[in-house]
Amino acid sequence: MVLPATTRAAGLCRIAACSSAAAAATGGRRGAEQLPFSLAERGMVVGGHRGMGMNAVGAPPGARVGGVKERENTLLSFGRAAAHAAVAFVEFDVQVTKDGCPIIFHDDFILTQETEDVNEKRVTDLLLEEFLSYGPQKNSCKISKPLLRRTKDGRVLSWSAKEDDSLCTLQEVFECVSPRLGFNIELKFDDGIIYERGQLDRALQAVLQVVFQYASNRPIFFSTFHPDAARIMRELQSLYPVLFLTEGGTAQHNDSRRNSLDEAIRVCLEYDLHGLVSEVRGVFKNPSAVLRAKESNLALLTYGQLNNVWEAVYIQYLMGVNGVIVDLVEEISNVVADFCKPVLNQSMLGSGVELVGAKHEAFSQQQLGFLLRLIPELIQQPH
């Protein structure tokens, strides 16, 4: 629901107060100590993509990501991820409804079917009550609207899950998910819209209202593909880290700030952000960017289908990537926990390459070269 003006004003005062306190505590500087989940201490952290993984609607037969059972971005999926001790955080997508409520949903449009016609609406044009009417209902007396999803190739398919759950709000996620689990709150904006400053402000302030009221001591960081939203979120508060999301040059946009890892690093430094989250292929194509990020005191996390292949994750561990966001949450988190132990099983790769330890500083250029040669083969595999 829309917040009264007095409530919004009070919320902004809290935001300003937290920002001032955090800036005073750190001398106004961005530092590694502000990053969540003790990145420097843990070697590599694992985050669950939309909980236990995204729903790969229309994935080809045999694709491993097609095995995700839980509906993405739901309390069920987040709760399952929280049950895995090796999972540090979950990543989820936040948009703000027309009446000012932050909700959890990835796609810009939500689809359902009425008789034979497909009905498609922009998520941010919906009131909260209408948004929650899609999919399974908490109240069995309510009639639900079946969910459909548009695939990247334009097909509209039924969007079902083996283990279903209702859509939810950001407040519910804070209230219902174990406080030990960190949150990577992705601030979602439509690539097809040019947003004015006021529109970004309203959406970000609505998210911050909920975060400051319900976060308590939970580890939290924000991320977004929208460079101006990242800058504004950094201006609005200094309590929680802000990371810039980038496709790392694997896709091109009109906004040049989004078109390479080098540009992403520049954005982070110019806007005093805490790090970046790159599509993993961008890191493999430009591995020297890892060193530049480290030299700039920036955290570097990755996302993408290759993060569901343990060999690709291990390469990143050796390169010094701080964290990975994955769909095969149980499998990859267990593997990462194993190779982050003080002594690595030397037969792990089954390749005849001798590995001398788990710390990425210990690998040789020959070993890294061998691993990097695996990348073209990994990219070709169905994931």
Side-chain angles (χ1 to χ4, degrees), residues 19 30 94 111 124 156 198 213 236 262 280 297 312 381 383:
S19 299
R30 169 184 51 77
V94 174
L111 285 72
T124 52
V156 175
Q213 185 170 354
L236 287 174
D262 292 331
V280 59
N297 197 27
Q381 294 178 1
H383 307 303

Side-chain angles (χ1 to χ4, degrees), residues 187-205:
L187 307 164
K188 286 283 294 184
F189 296 96
D190 189 335
D191 287 346
I193 296 177
I194 299 176
Y195 293 90
E196 297 179 357
R197 169 70 191 243
Q199 293 173 297
L200 295 174
D201 276 339
R202 284 190 293 274
L204 298 178
Q205 288 165 5

Side-chain angles (χ1 to χ4, degrees), residues 53-130:
M54 71 173 184
N55 298 142
V57 175
R64 295 203 301 155
V65 293
V68 174
K69 297 181 295 184
E70 302 84 359
R71 181 176 292 280
E72 68 182 39
N73 279 334
T74 60
L75 296 178
L76 171 66
S77 191
F78 300 145
R80 292 273 175 84
H84 294 281
V87 177
F89 66 94
V90 286
E91 177 274 348
F92 54 78
D93 311 277
V94 174
Q95 303 184 60
V96 178
T97 61
K98 189 176 182 179
D99 47 351
C101 183
I103 51 88
I104 314 298
F105 198 75
H106 174 269
D107 300 359
D108 295 322
F109 291 87
I110 192 167
L111 285 72
T112 190
Q113 190 157 18
E114 299 174 359
T115 61
E116 296 183 358
D117 298 324
V118 173
N119 187 297
E120 182 173 14
K121 294 185 177 181
R122 185 180 296 278
V123 171
T124 52
D125 286 343
L126 300 177
L127 300 176
L128 175 61
E129 183 177 6
E130 184 177 3

Side-chain angles (χ1 to χ4, degrees), residues 201-247:
D201 276 339
R202 284 190 293 274
L204 298 178
Q205 288 165 5
V207 172
L208 284 171
Q209 291 269 358
V210 175
V211 170
F212 278 112
Q213 185 170 354
Y214 295 99
S216 187
N217 295 320
R218 185 189 301 274
I220 293 169
F221 65 101
F222 297 106
S223 63
T224 182
F225 284 103
H226 198 298
D228 293 321
R231 173 177 53 81
I232 294 168
M233 180 57 89
R234 185 73 173 100
E235 293 170 357
L236 287 174
Q237 59 84 44
S238 299
L239 188 58
Y240 301 111
V242 181
L243 278 67
F244 182 46
L245 271 162
T246 176
E247 288 156 305

Side-chain angles (χ1 to χ4, degrees), residues 26 44 67 89 115 117 130 155 161 179 192 274 307 316 351 374 378:
T26 62
M44 174 179 273
F89 66 94
T115 61
D117 298 324
E130 184 177 3
R155 293 176 295 159
H274 298 79
N307 280 355
Q316 295 174 74
S351 61
L374 290 176
L378 292 173

